[in-house]
Structures are given as structure tokens and as C-alpha cells.
């Protein structure tokens, strides 16, 4: 199976505790490993001001994950992000 390179960025609520942030990062990392993802690189981009309000939040904590995986894994990872109450927005792009 051919693995494509993806980049997922998600924005967390600004009032989230650090342990919840780390729990979500570890959850995403374990999902990627469990379904055959490789070359996982996680970068905490920090707290940034949002261009426009999202769910009444002016700021958000950005986390970027780069990995190689199948398209099925991306669907599973995005489904996990949807059900997290701490994520206010996410985006996954396929890198060329």
C-alpha cells in the first residue's frame, strides 16, 4: 500500500490545561501508529491570535502533525478530532 504524506493542523481552546493538550497529542500519535502511519513529526506552534472568532474564542493553541499514512487513516484521525470537545478547528492537507 502506498503511503501519502499528510499535514494535520488543529486548534485547541485557549483555556485547555497542558495535560489535556498532551493527552490529545498522544491520542493522535497512537492512532497514527495503530493504523500504520509512519514518520510522525509533532510540532506545538503555541498560542496565536485567530483572524476571526471561532466559537467565541479570540485565541487558540495550534498543533501541527506531519506523517505518512493511507487515506483511511486520515478519516479515522479526523473523526477522533471531531469528537474532542477541546478542538475548535482542524485541517488536513495532502503534501506533494
Amino acid at each position: 500500500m502506498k503511503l501519502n504524506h499528510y499535514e494535520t493542523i488543529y486548534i485547541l481552546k485557549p483555556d485547555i490545561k497542558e495535560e489535556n493538550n498532551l493527552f490529545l497529542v498522544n491520542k493522535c500519535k497512537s492512532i497514527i501508529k495503530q493504523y500504520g502511519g509512519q514518520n510522525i513529526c509533532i510540532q506545538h506552534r503555541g498560542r496565536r491570535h485567530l483572524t476571526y472568532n471561532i466559537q467565541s474564542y479570540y485565541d487558540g493553541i495550534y498543533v501541527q502533525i506531519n506523517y505518512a499514512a493511507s487515506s483511511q487513516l486520515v478519516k479515522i484521525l479526523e473523526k477522533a478530532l471531531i469528537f474532542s470537545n477541546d478542538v475548535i478547528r482542524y485541517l488536513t492537507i495532502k503534501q506533494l
Side-chain angles (χ1 to χ4, degrees):
M1 180 188 311
K2 183 178 185 295
L3 299 180
N4 297 314
H5 294 277
Y6 293 98
E7 177 177 292
T8 299
I9 298 176
Y10 59 88
I11 306 172
L12 297 170
K13 294 178 181 177
D15 55 355
I16 188 173
K17 295 180 182 177
E18 185 65 29
E19 56 266 10
N20 291 353
N21 184 353
L22 293 175
F23 173 77
L24 189 58
V25 167
N26 289 332
K27 181 180 173 183
C28 290
K29 190 174 182 179
S30 67
I31 289 172
I32 294 170
K33 283 184 180 180
Q34 180 182 357
Y35 289 96
Q38 300 172 354
N39 303 332
I40 304 167
C41 177
I42 299 173
Q43 299 176 6
H44 294 273
R45 294 292 181 176
R47 184 187 198 106
R48 295 190 180 191
H49 184 72
L50 302 173
T51 304
Y52 55 90
N53 292 354
I54 301 174
Q55 298 176 7
S56 301
Y57 291 107
Y58 296 100
D59 296 329
I61 300 170
Y62 284 68
V63 179
Q64 175 183 344
I65 307 173
N66 294 45
Y67 53 95
S70 66
S71 60
Q72 286 300 106
L73 173 73
V74 173
K75 292 177 186 176
I76 294 168
L77 183 63
E78 287 183 345
K79 193 170 187 178
L81 292 173
I82 287 172
F83 290 123
S84 174
N85 293 332
D86 296 323
V87 176
I88 57 175
R89 186 69 45 98
Y90 67 90
L91 175 69
T92 301
I93 59 169
K94 181 178 172 183
Q95 296 177 331
L96 299 176

